[in-house]
Amino acid sequence: MTGRARTTGGDGAGIPGPWRRLRASRAASWTPAHLADLTGRTVVVTGSSRGIGAAAAVHLARHGAHVIILCPSASQGRASAEAVRRRVTAARVESVTCDLARPDQVREAAGEITRLVGGRLDVLINNAGVAALPYTRSPAGFEMHFAVNHLGHFALTGHLLPALLSAPRPRVVNVTSVLHWLGRCRTDRPHLPRRYHRWPAYFDSKLANLLFTHGLTVWAQARGVPLRAVAAHPGLVDTTLGSRALYADGRRLEARLLRWGQSRWHSPSQAAWSLVRAAGDPHVAGGEFFGPGGRWEWSGAPVRVRAARRARDDRAAERLWQLSQRLTGHPFPASPGWPGRGGEPS
Ligand SMILES: NC(=O)c1ccc[n+]([C@@H]2O[C@H](COP(=O)([O-])OP(=O)(O)OC[C@H]3O[C@@H](n4cnc5c(N)ncnc54)[C@H](OP(=O)(O)O)[C@@H]3O)[C@@H](O)[C@H]2O)c1
């Protein structure tokens, strides 16, 4: 993950180039109106049956992209595609059913997507997420936040590589959270955390999204392919992420507090701007990270933001990469490339 720092006032004279560019990106309020025409480009958005993903699908379709909605329910996927068509006349949008916690469905979905896009995928937005679940194991036996938020997306990206690498400037956008700052890389216990708590499990999975972005950037550079891995976070958003699980678990007060906090900040439509910028801004480089530019990065127009130091840790990214490869059946071709080491063990 490329480290990015905040800048302050002044006219920028005498400031080194990268800092000046960073400040310019913060100063100019980016909106989806800045997006170029995406006609002819194919974009998959996971978790786009509701919330931020559904809003991102609308923005992208409005700019001409061929959008594939991916979500666990076939009927919900069809309804979401229809909702996009109602809002964007002549939108090209389809849906693919996939539960990211089920490795067999991830593999099948990648095959179906590859067919739908004619073998060439320009952008994959790994947005789907779960939060605040009580301890639950995925059908493959992994802790559910890790399974859906990270492992499912890792495997989907690996299975879609041939389609991504057939595009001229492919991009993978991993959606994380400002709460990744509280996460830890716990590659020693993906099955059964010793002391489970629903929120740290979510924070850890959001840190994993950034470590994967870092790992994928190293992987692409080592192989000399033009794939750009980018991260984005939406701020604090008015969706039911987290509160659904809390209500279902009878934690009504915690659920209400969360809903109150989320509803005070970003709408899903504005929160999706970070994702859309990471996916469509031609000036974005591999390893960059976008989030809202307002106070505490909770709301505002998308700007380059800084990731926690541990999200840029080579060793943690390498450990997570190797573990994820092993747990998902090696969807990425074995690859050398970790600086200063002999590459990925088989
Ligand atoms: N809301 C916030 O304040 C906030 C803050 C920071 C980061 N984020 C991040 O933003 C992303 C989107 O969150 P959101 O707020 O839009 O959440 P949301 O409204 O709950 O939507 C989550 C989406 O993920 C899908 N999903 C859940 N489990 C899945 C699975 N096993 N397989 C495939 N898809 C699955 C859901 O599909 P179904 O509903 O059909 O099951 C839904 O489409 C997440 O990565 C989240 O971590 C959100």
Side-chain angles (χ1 to χ4, degrees):
M1 192 86 276
T2 308
R4 301 284 160 186
R6 290 174 179 283
T7 53
T8 50
D11 65 3
I15 299 176
W19 295 93
R20 214 171 31 245
R21 276 200 298 281
L22 174 59
R23 188 165 62 179
S25 86
R26 280 185 170 270
S29 256
W30 192 94
T31 73
H34 290 84
L35 265 187
D37 182 20
L38 299 175
T39 305
R41 304 195 75 197
T42 50
V43 184
V44 170
V45 189
T46 72
S48 40
S49 57
R50 62 166 101 207
I52 300 157
V58 171
H59 288 303
L60 294 162
R62 196 168 276 147
H63 283 81
H66 173 192
V67 178
I68 313 252
I69 283 173
L70 183 144
C71 68
S73 146
S75 58
Q76 188 63 46
R78 280 193 299 273
S80 304
E82 194 43 50
V84 177
R85 279 187 217 106
R86 274 200 304 275
R87 296 188 59 182
V88 184
T89 336
R92 195 164 167 212
V93 51
E94 280 148 304
S95 65
V96 166
T97 310
C98 172
D99 179 345
L100 286 161
R102 295 182 176 271
D104 51 331
Q105 290 193 16
V106 173
R107 189 182 287 276
E108 277 167 30
E112 192 182 341
I113 289 167
T114 303
R115 278 191 299 282
L116 283 172
V117 299
R120 197 199 90 171
L121 177 61
D122 295 283
V123 183
L124 168 63
I125 304 183
N126 287 324
N127 160 79
V130 288
L133 299 177
Y135 182 69
T136 318
R137 279 198 195 211
S138 71
F142 308 119
E143 189 284 310
M144 195 60 102
H145 295 90
F146 186 63
V148 174
N149 298 0
H150 169 65
L151 278 183
H153 284 128
F154 180 90
L156 182 68
T157 308
H159 295 316
L160 284 172
L161 262 187
L164 284 163
L165 295 181
S166 300
R169 291 176 305 281
R171 219 177 270 197
V172 174
V173 177
N174 291 321
V175 180
T176 179
S177 163
V178 77
L179 293 170
H180 80 271
W181 283 84
L182 303 175
R184 294 279 184 284
C185 180
R186 299 178 211 268
T187 45
D188 52 333
R189 45 201 165 107
H191 300 269
L192 184 63
R194 246 167 283 154
R195 279 198 308 270
Y196 181 81
H197 189 280
R198 59 186 80 221
W199 283 113
Y202 175 70
F203 306 155
D204 295 353
S205 72
K206 293 289 109 180
L207 177 66
N209 296 148
L210 282 161
L211 286 169
F212 174 40
T213 309
H214 182 51
L216 193 53
T217 302
V218 173
W219 182 90
Q221 282 167 357
R223 298 181 77 88
V225 294
L227 179 85
R228 276 174 284 179
V230 187
H233 84 79
L236 190 54
V237 193
D238 189 7
T239 71
T240 53
L241 180 80
S243 62
R244 280 198 313 279
L246 293 170
Y247 274 123
D249 226 13
R251 300 168 77 106
R252 303 182 67 82
L253 180 63
E254 200 178 336
R256 275 200 201 138
L257 276 173
L258 179 64
R259 283 297 299 130
W260 177 81
Q262 287 173 325
S263 63
R264 285 175 62 84
W265 297 92
H266 252 172
S267 69
S269 180
Q270 207 195 359
W273 291 8
S274 297
L275 283 62
V276 171
R277 181 170 187 186
D281 182 338
H283 306 297
V284 170
E288 286 189 330
F289 182 21
F290 289 85
R295 191 149 59 118
W296 300 321
E297 295 174 18
W298 282 4
S299 61
V303 296
R304 290 179 173 83
V305 294
R306 189 160 63 99
R309 186 192 293 260
R310 59 174 85 98
R312 296 170 268 141
D313 180 335
D314 276 337
R315 282 184 183 279
E318 181 180 9
R319 274 202 324 273
L320 180 67
W321 184 278
Q322 287 171 1
L323 176 75
S324 309
Q325 281 274 71
R326 214 170 56 244
L327 299 181
T328 57
H330 293 262
F332 287 84
S335 128
W338 295 97
R341 283 185 287 286
E344 181 182 288
S346 56

